[in-house]
Amino acid sequence: MNIDRKKHWQFLEDELKAETEEFKKTYLTTAISLLKTSQEMYVAQFISFKDGEMIMKFPISRALPRKGDFLVCMVLPPELQDYRNWGDKTYRDLYNARYNSTECVCIWHSPANDPRYSLVGFSKVSVDFANYIKETPNIVLTFAPQRPPIDYVMNLQKVVEDKYSKGVASVLDANYQTKDWEPILIKQDNVSGFVYSQMTLTDTMILEGPPGTGKTYMIAELCARLCAEGHSVLVTALTNRALMEIAEKPAVKPLLHSHKIFKTNITIDELREIKDLETIKSIAPMPGCLVMSTYFITSGYAADLTVEQPFDFVIMDEASQAILPMFAASRKIGKKNLWVGDIHQLPPIVILNQDRIKFCNYKPLVEGLKLLADNSSSPIYQLTTTYRFGQRSANYTGVFYNDSLVSNESKRFNDLPSMCKILSNKGGPTLILTDMPSGDSTPQFAIDMASYIVASILNDSPNKDIAVLSCMKKTTRALQMAITQKVGSKKNLIVDTVARVQGLTTDITIFFVPDYSYIRTLEPHLFNVATSRAKEHTIIIVDKYVLDCYTLNKNVRKYLEMLKQEKSIYIPDTEHGLGNKNIIESNIDKLLTS
């Protein structure tokens, strides 16, 4: 199968149009409407920076940003800092008028001394923006929805248009022949040494890394060795968080102390986290140095590149999140490439309608790593030792990896007395079956039960890192509201959609699955991500008839059937979701502790 360059370009053009049209509804809406009606825009007063976080004071008379929300923060001209002067101006008008801006993410809420206000913390604020405002206490800032990655798509269009690069041609013009394959399992301890030796034999290598298998440690060790030999190395990933995790690893500390690790677009909290990290405004190869940059910036470097393969090595982390042209960009940049990802977790997020993707046969272009893995003529390797959780968890997550996962150590957990009757002391998943109304994405009884479980865990162990995950935004919002009412806002508690947490590690995960379109809510990639975040316990809350659904993916079905037989409990909705909460909680408590 050959994919014409015109098709590559048209896919990106269709995605660009979809992103633009989707955002245009918000971008061209009046700002005052986004502030007061749809509550997508916010105005707040800057207080200070503390520990790398920007602290803002929000009035409680309006909605606060959700924890985990990615936003654009803007310094507007003085006359527009008062929203009463916005008039008919749109989001676009305010954005074009801004003096300075940064992307940021909401990470916590806390009551202020004045009960009329709430304090909200933000991370990922750029150093340039922080320097711009930190000497201006009490300045009023405006927060708005994050803009889509339009530049990223346009950069990849330029890569597709490059007819001279052999690296680009090796990916985009290849004749893809689907084959049956099994990855070669890596079972030895010195993984980075094995990968190093294999890369001497090939220009490109694909490494599949299931959850918790030490991908980041391996990449750091490999980078340290390559840089010590004087090679120029570029590591690129979808998220800044993935890059920072590599820079934190012990193997690259000598490089850090020698000021040989450079990162683009450094934020104030990143500099605080790793003080020896060097900032670099644009990507450039340097012998013996490690350069780190996201796909968004790396794609622009590849698009403008006139010299073929200036870097000795390019390592793509989170490669399952890259669309196919990004791999072409990687091959254009590096003489040797290592692509590290997991085709059994979330594919890239695109805005383009799924019907359009199916009609135009764009799926191979979207799921780039899967296409390359399914059609590669080179051997593909898979890590097998998981360090995140014990063997019981590894057995369940291993359902998605041909039962190939082995835990590095056996673990025991006995520190949650209120849940000890239903949780395994070996850790891993527990299935809670209950009564959920069909078609209801916010089943009240089950939501109350999830809230009660969170409260019980925090009462037993206040410092546990907990994630409550669901696949639907509406469900997540209902969970957030109920849990916040029950336990308040906690820094160690995340309530979010599964699609936003790939790469997250927690102590305990609660995966909430309403009886609503199981094709969506129990989609296998999402299920695998949701159930492999926790180091200790995963609690799955689902309707008692879930296994009657004939559309369940075979691996999801196998996982749930195993769990139902081995570790499950049924908690009926005796009050039909409408009873007194005290009675409901009393009934739940009896079942959990009996």
Side-chain angles (χ1 to χ4, degrees), residues 42 72 132 180-181 254 256 307-308 310 320 329 334 371 414 505 551 572:
Y42 313 91
V72 173
Y132 187 87
D180 293 328
W181 65 278
L256 268 177
V307 179
E308 183 82 354
S320 58
L371 175 72
N414 297 290
T505 301
T551 60

Side-chain angles (χ1 to χ4, degrees), residues 32 96 112 134 144 188 204 210 232 234 276 377 382 424 429 509 582:
I32 200 70
N96 290 338
K134 68 182 180 181
Q188 61 195 74
T204 303
S232 57
L234 170 65
D276 289 329
S377 57
Q382 182 204 306
S424 170
T509 296
N582 291 331

Side-chain angles (χ1 to χ4, degrees), residues 17-31:
K17 288 178 180 177
E19 290 182 0
T20 304
E21 287 300 316
E22 178 74 15
F23 189 64
K24 190 185 294 183
K25 301 170 189 175
T26 300
Y27 204 43
L28 298 182
T29 299
T30 60

Side-chain angles (χ1 to χ4, degrees), residues 111-129:
N113 291 331
D114 187 331
R116 296 173 300 171
Y117 297 94
S118 181
L119 298 181
V120 179
F122 294 86
S123 65
K124 311 304 179 190
V125 177
S126 72
V127 171
D128 290 341
F129 186 86

